[in-house]
Amino acid sequence: MKYTLGISAHYHDSAACLLADSEIVAAAQEERFSRIKHDPSFPQKAIEYCCSVVGIHPNEIENVGYYEKPKLKFDRILRTFEHYAPLGFDCFYQAVENWIGEKSKVHEKLVSIFGSADVHYNEHHESHAMSAFYPSPFEDAAILTIDGVGEWATSTLSHGQGRKIDMIKELRFPHSVGLLYSAFTAFTGFRVNSGEYKVMGLAPYGRPKYVDKILNELIELKEDGSLRLNLDYFTFPYKQRMTNEKFAELFDGPMRKPESELTQREMDLAKSVQVVVERIVMRMARYAREVTGSSNLCLAGGVALNCVANGKLSKAGIFDNIWIQPASGDAGGALGAAYGAYFKNEVHERSIQVSDSMNGSYLGPQFSDSEVQTFLDQKDVMYRRMSESAISALVAELIAGGNVVGWFQGRMEYGPRALGNRSILADPRSPEMQKVLNLKIKYRESFRPFAPAVLVHKQEEWFGLNAESPYMLLVGEVLEKHRLQSEDGENLFGIEKLNKVRSSIPAVTHVDHSARVQSVDQIRNPSFFRLISEFEKITGVPILINTSFNVRGEPPVCSLDDAYTCFLRTEMDYLALGNFLLDKKQMRKLDNDKEWRKEFTLD
């Protein structure tokens, strides 16, 4: 057995991934262990976890892959400063200061941990491309990687065939789809590299009134999907701030202050940039199909987490099949780096699975029943221990009765989405549940939508999607037959739209009737499949609300203690830790825990 470890670090969402030969045996983000959301630090704890899964010491690993080329990235920083000097000296000085620290000593760090292992460095977008293609179910595929920036590349088109990936074309910094979206993220008052999904969730409340301004003033968009930014409006190449006063003048005033009230302008901005990005992605996809001739497409990079664009791309039918890496952001670069080290070192055959090679993305830590019982006994709390079938039936009954349940089962998910193992679950039929979950459980903005987890064989009966969505990466629409026919309130604007009941599953129906779907099958997650099936027996609805097990600003829970603490701090009603059920009414409050929200930086 040959072990290969991949690492991403020092930007955001650091992670580690371990291969045993070509099989993915473990992967996790450092944030889950450190409890620092988007933790960029070297993933020491994630590495230790990966090694513990197969019982080896890091110095027993033969190949190590790093997800980018640090020197090439620093070259971009130097050349950018040279171009803009003397502008941006403070920003450049900070970048150099950071570089002189751990970023310049990556190789020494890897050698000190892994000894004589062969170390391989892949370009950032090469890592994204490998993370998308190698675990996909395709022998042949076009590969699009789209994000903010790696070393120089901001988007790439490649062609994967067997074990070979050929780069065809790249878009280079500062011209970037991801940075365009991040500029609007910052301007609407959210954090860059954290709040982009909020812009996507806010977009349905808005109107596309700024689309023409974006296309006419901000970007030059070509038929192949490549673009050039008008840098008269942007400052990100030489400042920490993304945009300037000219940008503000173009969009009717200064940027929104974080945590201030959202206005119709922010909603319209969100809608407009979302429409533009969808148009860009669609053009890139058409060009990729034309150039490669492949009927399959693989996607990775942060923009590949834009599930609204993904859903429209799937529906457009440009490709017969689309596969999206569930850890598409920088965390997934660790997986690509591992594949790069494995396939570049020697001639290895690529193993292709019928669905994919991600094991449902359930690649993180898990806990046995004996470990759960020991933990609960040490806490000296009341609990019920049941069989798998009994706890599924009871939890389904509790959810159908209006309760919110923390569901902690099996291996933790790799990537940003909760897929039924570190999840908070509730009844999608409740008109009040979206508000309850946002304000009393997650402690976050009221406009944020929730995702439906649906039995895969019932997906077509509820949602307009032409493909399975096991990783919650496609948005479809709730079908007409499940919508309510009343037109009252359809002329409302902005947040006024929020409280209108639009379907028989209102808690997972966004204001435009869209839903970010997770299709659940018996092979990837039998326990989650069983639970939803039990809920369907009671209610006739094969769907649950599924949101990540955390509060705003906190990474999804990883350990038993994380889950237990989050459960006590929120207004969740029950917690299922494996086959053990805890009732909030029987729990003691945490001691001296009044200021706990200050632990987490708001995203």
Side-chain angles (χ1 to χ4, degrees):
M1 188 72 69
K2 179 169 288 188
Y3 294 108
T4 304
L5 189 85
I7 294 169
S8 64
H10 299 317
Y11 186 45
H12 58 88
D13 296 300
S14 295
C17 176
L18 184 67
L19 304 180
D21 292 334
S22 63
E23 181 186 357
I24 309 168
V25 294
Q29 294 106 295
E30 186 71 4
E31 67 165 15
R32 307 299 168 87
F33 306 97
S34 69
R35 311 309 299 155
I36 302 170
K37 194 165 186 177
H38 304 303
D39 192 346
S41 61
F42 189 83
Q44 188 65 48
K45 292 182 175 65
I47 291 169
E48 292 169 1
Y49 155 69
C50 286
C51 290
S52 71
V53 170
V54 291
I56 61 171
H57 189 275
N59 62 21
E60 296 176 65
I61 291 170
E62 297 180 49
N63 295 306
V64 175
Y66 194 71
Y67 84 126
E68 64 182 11
K69 294 185 176 179
K71 290 182 180 179
L72 188 57
K73 191 166 190 173
F74 190 57
D75 176 67
R76 189 248 300 165
I77 295 170
L78 288 173
R79 289 177 182 270
T80 301
F81 174 69
E82 182 181 29
H83 179 78
Y84 285 99
L87 292 174
F89 179 78
D90 291 344
C91 186
F92 172 72
Y93 181 82
Q94 184 179 349
V96 171
E97 196 172 39
N98 290 338
W99 175 261
I100 292 171
E102 283 194 306
K103 290 183 181 181
S104 67
K105 300 172 183 175
V106 168
H107 189 76
E108 290 84 348
K109 180 85 170 179
L110 297 178
V111 170
S112 69
I113 295 173
F114 301 106
S116 60
D118 290 332
V119 179
H120 303 261
Y121 294 89
N122 309 282
E123 288 196 24
H124 185 100
H125 275 260
E126 186 182 16
S127 293
H128 277 320
M130 291 186 290
S131 78
F133 179 63
Y134 284 136
S136 79
F138 308 138
E139 174 70 27
D140 176 281
I143 311 164
L144 282 173
T145 70
I146 316 169
D147 67 4
V149 61
E151 294 86 359
W152 281 101
T154 63
S155 298
T156 65
L157 167 61
S158 304
H159 190 185
Q161 295 174 294
R163 63 186 296 276
K164 186 180 179 184
I165 295 176
D166 292 316
M167 180 80 72
I168 297 172
K169 195 170 184 177
E170 70 175 20
L171 184 66
R172 290 169 69 86
F173 181 86
H175 308 293
S176 166
V177 183
L179 290 175
L180 173 68
Y181 206 88
S182 290
F184 280 85
T185 299
F187 193 74
T188 52
F190 303 118
R191 287 182 62 192
V192 171
N193 293 324
S194 177
E196 282 78 4
Y197 61 95
K198 295 185 185 182
V199 176
M200 183 178 65
L202 189 63
Y205 294 96
R207 302 158 297 186
K209 64 178 288 187
Y210 296 110
V211 168
D212 289 342
K213 280 189 177 182
I214 296 172
L215 293 173
N216 294 332
E217 298 291 337
L218 289 192
I219 69 173
E220 177 189 347
L221 178 59
K222 300 178 182 178
E223 283 302 314
D224 63 0
S226 63
L227 58 86
R228 291 188 65 82
L229 298 181
N230 183 347
L231 296 172
D232 290 344
Y233 291 94
F234 299 93
T235 55
F236 63 79
Y238 56 89
K239 278 188 177 182
Q240 294 294 337
R241 185 171 173 174
M242 297 292 295
T243 59
N244 58 20
E245 290 73 18
K246 190 173 180 180
F247 189 99
E249 289 174 11
L250 185 64
F251 295 113
D252 304 326
M255 65 183 291
R256 169 181 169 260
K257 293 181 179 179
E259 306 304 315
S260 65
E261 183 181 356
L262 285 161
T263 69
Q264 187 66 46
R265 184 191 67 148
E266 284 77 52
M267 299 169 202
D268 294 343
L269 286 166
K271 179 66 172 181
S272 300
V273 73
Q274 178 65 33
V275 167
V276 170
V277 166
E278 289 166 13
R279 191 173 301 182
I280 294 168
V281 170
M282 209 71 71
R283 288 192 184 186
M284 284 185 172
R286 290 194 182 96
Y287 180 74
R289 177 66 192 257
E290 177 186 338
V291 170
T292 65
S294 180
S295 61
N296 304 311
L297 174 67
C298 296
L299 290 171
V303 176
L305 293 172
N306 191 308
C307 50
V308 178
N310 295 342
K312 292 183 177 179
L313 180 58
S314 176
K315 192 174 182 179
I318 299 168
F319 288 89
D320 295 346
N321 306 290
I322 299 175
W323 191 84
I324 307 160
Q325 168 53 241
S328 273
D330 277 12
L335 171 58
Y339 275 126
Y342 180 75
F343 282 112
K344 284 182 179 178
N345 191 46
E346 297 177 21
V347 177
H348 294 294
E349 290 300 316
R350 177 176 166 234
S351 176
I352 301 174
Q353 305 299 319
V354 174
S355 56
D356 59 52
S357 302
M358 289 297 297
N359 299 312
S361 214
Y362 305 113
L363 297 164
Q366 62 183 335
F367 301 88
S368 67
D369 278 354
S370 61
E371 288 175 308
V372 175
Q373 184 162 359
T374 298
F375 171 81
L376 293 175
D377 288 341
Q378 288 174 345
K379 292 291 183 183
D380 190 26
V381 296
M382 296 180 65
Y383 59 82
R384 291 178 62 184
R385 182 173 184 173
M386 290 170 277
S387 66
E388 291 182 14
S389 59
I391 197 167
S392 295
L394 179 54
V395 168
E397 189 176 315
L398 291 170
I399 293 172
N403 293 287
V404 177
V405 179
W407 185 250
F408 185 101
Q409 308 289 321
R411 298 187 72 176
M412 181 182 70
E413 299 88 341
Y414 176 48
R417 308 293 187 218
L419 300 172
N421 280 9
R422 301 290 185 275
S423 292
I424 297 171
L425 307 175
D427 189 342
R429 302 170 303 157
S430 168
E432 300 297 321
M433 193 54 72
Q434 182 195 17
K435 185 183 294 185
V436 169
L437 287 173
N438 271 327
L439 301 181
K440 295 187 176 182
I441 309 295
K442 304 282 280 189
Y443 302 116
R444 68 186 197 182
E445 303 95 337
S446 62
F447 72 85
R448 304 267 291 277
F450 288 99
V454 58
L455 298 178
V456 65
H457 59 285
K458 297 296 180 74
Q459 177 183 306
E460 290 184 3
E461 297 176 18
W462 288 84
F463 303 102
L465 267 181
N466 58 353
E468 293 181 12
S469 182
Y471 300 118
M472 206 185 284
L473 287 170
L474 297 175
V475 162
E477 291 188 340
V478 176
L479 294 180
E480 288 279 356
K481 64 182 179 180
H482 299 295
R483 299 181 193 178
L484 302 184
Q485 299 305 308
S486 171
E487 296 297 322
D488 294 341
E490 288 300 334
N491 294 321
L492 297 174
F493 287 100
I495 295 297
E496 292 176 337
K497 296 178 178 181
L498 179 63
N499 295 324
K500 178 174 169 56
V501 176
R502 289 177 167 75
S503 77
S504 60
I505 46 171
V508 292
T509 304
H510 208 1
V511 296
D512 58 352
H513 297 105
S514 66
R516 188 181 72 197
V517 176
Q518 179 195 0
S519 45
V520 180
D521 63 74
Q522 201 162 7
I523 296 174
R524 288 186 178 92
N525 197 328
S527 64
F528 198 31
F529 184 90
R530 184 187 307 113
L531 175 62
I532 301 173
S533 298
E534 291 291 342
F535 184 79
E536 183 188 25
K537 289 179 186 177
I538 299 167
T539 65
V541 176
I543 299 165
L544 289 175
I545 299 173
N546 177 15
T547 187
S548 56
F549 198 151
N550 63 331
V551 297
R552 184 184 174 192
E554 179 191 23
V557 299
C558 175
S559 69
L560 296 169
D561 193 60
D562 297 337
Y564 176 73
T565 301
C566 186
F567 170 61
L568 292 186
R569 285 172 168 173
T570 67
E571 295 184 46
M572 271 183 273
D573 301 296
Y574 292 88
L575 171 62
L577 294 172
N579 294 322
F580 298 78
L581 187 67
L582 282 66
D583 182 341
K584 176 65 70 61
K585 295 187 294 292
Q586 299 174 337
M587 299 295 109
R588 300 185 300 270
K589 290 184 178 181
L590 291 172
D591 296 329
N592 302 316
D593 200 44
K594 294 180 180 178
E595 303 297 315
W596 65 268
R597 291 196 210 181
K598 293 181 180 178
E599 292 178 18
F600 306 117
T601 303
L602 294 181
D603 56 7

